[in-house]
Amino acid sequence: MEQFLLQYPELTDADQRAFLYSDLGLQKSDNPEGYEEAFKFWSQLLLEACSRGLLSASGHSTCIDPRGLPARLAFHGDTPMGVDQVVDDMKRQGGLVPTSEYLAESGAWRWAGRLALRVPLVGQRAAALAWGAAPDTLLASPRLIHAKASKVLGLHHSQVAYELTDNLMSVARFQQTFSPSQMSLLDARLTIRCLANLHKLTFDQKNGLVKFASKAHKPQPITEADLNAHHVLLTRDQISKQVEQLEQRVNALDQKARSFIRSNSRKPALNCLRLKKHIEQDVLLKQQRALENIERIVLQLQQSSSDVQLLQAFRSGACALKGLNQQADLLDPQSIFDEWADQALHAKEIQDAMQDTTVQADSDDEDALEAELDALLAADSLLQQEPEAKSPVAANDEAANKDADALADALTKVAISSDSEDQEERMPVAV
């Protein structure tokens, strides 16, 4: 328990532990908010410790024994003074209930999922139990029971191969089959009661027989065929256990004979070997043959159960097909197919018209593009055949240059003629 309590940092802190281990009855009246926090902490801790089998002498994982509970929760020399107040409030809220009331077929509690709902009752204790007496001092947790029942149900459905044999089991086998989930005999009884309330199985209190419901089906009553099949299964288990014990005894006699031989005790070794031979050839061989025969019977039962399930599936399929055919007849299939053909033909006509329009538009566009491409190719070919032409700007510059040269020549001639006339005027006239 101390190792478990060390997981809670609230308890390793001295100040927080002093508050949580104080008298919570006074806190409830003087400090309601503080009490709510303490109640939440303790209720979670109690359920977690209970699920680990730490709060009962028998290691129950769904029940709390409130007797001596503060002493169990002592930590670092401190003993909680308010845990009894928390347990009382959990009982008042339905988080904890007496196990006898939970197991009662018509008890003061009706269980819906994880919650306990109180309803009127007459003679609640009288109804309580072919399940076996449960101590009234133990308090069961509906939340933990429901969680365990869910795990058991999931594990069972994953293991079922033949419903006739796999869905039937005694309470003891129920406990052994689901023992990995830490289950005492009382835990098994509480879990079975929860699954029965959830309509996941049928429990025969007289014969102590459990019959799981098929997945996604309601539980079925236990029939005479179920009882006979269960008897065969019990016989198989008993013979199998006897064979195992005989094999263990044969091995023990062999080891004992070897030990006598090593100590040079010939006569005791001979007696051990003689008894070993008798067990192997007479008793063990007979039991092994009996086990083989009963295994054949079990296999035949399982095969018959499988055949029945197959026939039921065929019958269900035939009923479903019949119903669908009736619905199809009401819908008048011939008229539906005629209408479908008409509408399909009309849709095809529309698609053809749209396709023709698209093709025509595409053809016009292609003709225009082809004409433009031909014009470009013709122009390019013409440019390649003719000599390179001068640009308009170059032609204009050349004409301007020619005009400028002609003007310069004319001015030069005028200047020369003027100079000649001046020289003639300056020359003396001959007498």
Side-chain angles (χ1 to χ4, degrees), residues 238-257:
Q238 291 174 358
I239 296 177
S240 178
K241 188 175 182 179
Q242 292 172 3
V243 168
E244 183 179 355
Q245 291 175 350
L246 289 171
E247 290 175 345
Q248 291 176 356
R249 190 173 181 184
V250 167
N251 292 331
L253 287 171
D254 182 75
Q255 295 297 326
K256 192 174 182 180

Side-chain angles (χ1 to χ4, degrees), residues 186-199:
L186 179 58
D187 293 331
R189 287 158 46 199
L190 292 168
T191 305
I192 291 172
R193 167 53 68 196
C194 177
L195 290 171
N197 291 339
L198 295 173
H199 305 290

